Amino acid sequence: MEWDFERCYRAVDSRDPRFDGWFYTGVFSTGIYCRPSCPAVTPKRENVRFFPSAAAAKRAGLRACRRCRPDAAPGSPDWNTRADVVGRAMRLIGDGVVDREGVPGLAGRLGYTERHLHRMLVAEVGAGPLALARAQRAQTARILIETTGLGLAEIAFAAGFGSVRQFNETIREVYAVSPSELRAGRTRQRGGTSPNPDPSGTVGAINLRLAYRPPLHADALLEFLALRAVPGVEKVTGGTYRRGLRLPHGPATVALTPLPGHVAAELRLADVRDLAPAVARCRRLLDLDADPDAVDGLLGADPALAEAVAKEPGVRVPRAVDGFEMAVRAIVGQQISVAGARTTLARLVAAASATPDEEDGAGEEDGAPEPALRPFPSAAQILALPDSAFGMPASRRATIRAVAGAVAAGDLDLDPGTDRAELVRRLVALPGIGPWTAGYVALRALGDPDVFLATDLGVRHGAAALGLPSTPTTLDAYAERWRPWRSYAVIRLWRTQ
């Protein structure tokens, strides 16, 4: 999205929260940077400069405003929707790849040299991969300082810093206070209550507020997830979605409750180093970084969808926390009902749980609200299952085994930073995977905003209910007017049938 000074300044002057995360306001007279909706007095034009990322503002020598918390703003919709190298890099950085694999690992995943990747990110985002990862570490550290009773040295390494000294310097640079002062300030705001009074220092639940751009049609999200919830992995009760997660350093459980202005998240992690990827995956699952105004504006301009958009603004695309899980779901769901797919998946989960891998079971202590919830089985667990555990035709079982084998061998990458066109090409090359399955994986696992499933029976029924063409060829041609948001049109058609 192209921005000019006047447009950005008008957004800041009106304190419009829709622009939070799109850009950041640097105020050089005070040395801070803010989100556009910051309630502070609008700065003078001559003192302002706009930045495409928080890391770029930090690179310019500015510190984060402690009033509006710009590091907690919704992410830019660009990084979830763009399929180019920069968009893919931002998704991988958000998932913690730089912390786990370094810049060489990030560059290797994207197929570019470190130097060229650095140049591309600086040109578009205003900072290189190390600076972007460092900004994320600072935010992760702040969350741990304010919401847990961990010692500051433990937090330093949990957040990904190489040393306590680097941690202290970064927190001072970003927030203009020391880590201990940051914790003391948060304690005062809570009326003297420490973040975690447990004298053992055990980390319990980490409670966060995940911001989004309104409107958010929470009921549509929860209904979609509840209908497809796999017993043993996920559950929707009382307006809260709960599930098990498989994270880089161990399993976790998460509870997500949509509320006005934010989603309340309760995370229970086996390893606090997984905080950043857990948050990134929860945001991705609920499509919290979307720009509903842009999506609804285009879809609502079509008379066929106008009434549905007006009635239910802010419908999101439920995405995924695990690409392999979504691929298995798509294969199981071929030519059977949603209820039937759920039953089959529940059998797979139960069979895999009977022979857990070495990480399963961690993170289910300390009074976790749903100790029965586990991560979806890994590729290795699926491969280890006997044929009798699948309960499906042999051809479909062979397809799942082929995908699991390719993932386990590193030949198939289902992470959000994967090249979308290349993934679709690799998927359809596998036996038993056609355009519908590959498209469904791209829509939900990769978050591609422009997938249209013209052959899907639910999509066709929804189109017919709206008086639209319902044959795949004619419907696909009609859907061209919904670019680049055809994935959102699919969700709306599913809700219409």
Side-chain angles (χ1 to χ4, degrees):
M1 190 168 185
E2 294 295 330
W3 296 97
D4 58 50
F5 185 92
E6 286 303 319
R7 187 179 184 189
C8 291
Y9 193 81
R10 285 197 301 271
V12 171
D13 194 36
S14 62
R15 297 172 177 79
D16 193 332
R18 294 176 300 172
F19 297 100
D20 288 353
W22 274 111
F23 66 89
Y24 297 83
T25 307
V27 185
F28 284 84
S29 57
T30 60
I32 65 171
Y33 69 93
C34 305
R35 60 170 80 191
S37 64
C38 184
V41 176
T42 303
K44 295 180 180 179
R45 292 171 180 267
E46 59 267 26
N47 296 328
V48 169
R49 179 181 162 196
F50 298 108
F51 296 91
S53 67
K58 294 183 180 77
R59 190 174 177 226
L62 302 173
R63 61 174 177 81
C65 173
R66 297 211 299 273
R67 185 173 182 182
C68 71
R69 296 290 181 90
D71 59 344
S76 169
D78 267 354
W79 313 137
N80 273 345
T81 58
R82 282 173 52 169
D84 62 358
V85 175
V86 172
R88 291 164 56 203
M90 293 298 287
R91 291 194 290 275
L92 289 172
I93 292 169
D95 200 55
V97 167
V98 172
D99 290 333
R100 297 191 298 274
E101 303 175 19
V103 176
L106 175 66
R109 283 174 176 248
L110 297 169
Y112 285 83
T113 65
E114 296 176 51
R115 190 171 182 178
H116 188 51
L117 178 61
H118 181 88
R119 282 199 301 264
M120 287 190 289
L121 286 170
V122 170
E124 291 229 25
V125 193
L130 280 176
L132 291 163
R134 186 168 179 247
Q136 180 167 283
R137 287 185 205 117
Q139 181 188 7
T140 300
R142 177 180 64 77
I143 292 170
L144 292 172
I145 289 168
E146 295 179 348
T147 63
T148 76
L150 285 172
L152 296 179
E154 293 176 277
I155 288 174
F157 294 106
F161 290 98
S163 67
V164 173
R165 178 179 177 181
Q166 184 188 63
F167 162 69
N168 288 331
E169 289 175 350
T170 299
I171 296 299
R172 283 188 177 278
E173 181 182 330
V174 174
Y175 300 109
V177 293
S178 68
S180 58
E181 289 172 320
L182 194 60
R183 171 165 281 177
R186 188 59 173 171
T187 301
R188 286 193 297 271
Q189 290 178 27
R190 296 183 179 198
T193 302
S194 63
N196 182 359
D198 186 345
S200 70
T202 299
V203 179
I206 298 177
N207 294 285
L208 309 175
R209 294 161 61 103
L210 306 181
Y212 60 79
R213 293 177 187 81
L216 171 72
H217 199 293
D219 288 345
L221 272 173
L222 293 176
E223 288 168 13
F224 185 99
L225 295 171
L227 185 62
R228 294 160 178 81
V230 178
V233 174
E234 54 191 337
K235 185 177 183 180
V236 177
T237 53
T240 296
Y241 172 76
R242 294 181 172 86
R243 72 158 293 144
L245 296 177
R246 185 181 306 281
L247 297 171
H249 298 99
T253 58
V254 60
L256 302 171
T257 307
L259 297 170
H262 70 279
V263 171
E266 181 183 273
L267 307 176
R268 292 179 181 269
L269 309 173
D271 191 316
V272 289
R273 290 177 295 174
D274 283 328
L275 177 60
V279 170
R281 294 176 197 197
C282 290
R283 296 194 65 84
R284 188 162 67 242
L285 172 68
L286 301 185
D287 196 15
L288 295 185
D289 293 327
D291 182 0
D293 286 341
V295 176
D296 290 354
L298 185 141
L299 298 183
D302 184 342
L305 293 178
E307 183 178 348
V309 172
K311 183 180 178 180
E312 296 185 339
V315 168
R316 309 295 173 104
V317 175
R319 295 181 176 175
V321 296
D322 183 324
F324 173 69
E325 172 187 335
M326 195 48 58
V328 174
R329 285 176 180 257
I331 296 165
V332 170
Q334 293 171 350
Q335 301 177 353
I336 64 173
S337 67
V338 171
R342 181 180 175 183
T343 300
T344 300
L345 288 164
R347 284 200 299 266
L348 274 178
V349 169
S353 298
T355 54
D357 63 22
E358 62 183 11
E359 291 185 344
D360 275 355
E364 296 180 358
E365 301 174 355
D366 304 326
E370 292 287 349
L373 297 182
R374 312 171 65 89
F376 191 83
S378 66
Q381 285 178 289
I382 292 293
L383 286 172
L385 292 177
D387 289 348
S388 58
F390 286 79
M392 63 185 71
S395 58
R396 200 166 301 161
R397 181 178 68 234
T399 300
I400 292 177
R401 288 197 184 280
V403 171
V407 170
D411 297 329
L412 184 65
D413 186 355
L414 293 164
D415 288 340
T418 301
D419 182 279
R420 291 168 182 165
E422 176 64 14
L423 175 65
V424 169
R425 185 188 69 78
R426 287 178 178 266
L427 283 173
V428 297
L430 294 172
I433 294 185
W436 181 90
T437 305
Y440 189 84
V441 172
L443 186 153
R444 294 200 61 197
L446 300 190
D448 188 337
D450 199 32
V451 172
F452 193 70
L453 306 175
T455 62
D456 183 87
L457 191 60
V459 168
R460 293 169 61 193
H461 284 169
L466 293 174
L468 296 174
S470 57
T471 60
T473 302
T474 54
L475 180 56
D476 197 45
Y478 186 92
E480 286 294 311
R481 69 192 64 196
W482 296 331
R483 286 186 181 272
W485 308 116
R486 292 183 300 169
S487 296
Y488 292 85
V490 166
I491 301 298
R492 289 195 174 276
L493 292 175
W494 277 338
R495 288 186 61 74
T496 301
Q497 61 172 311

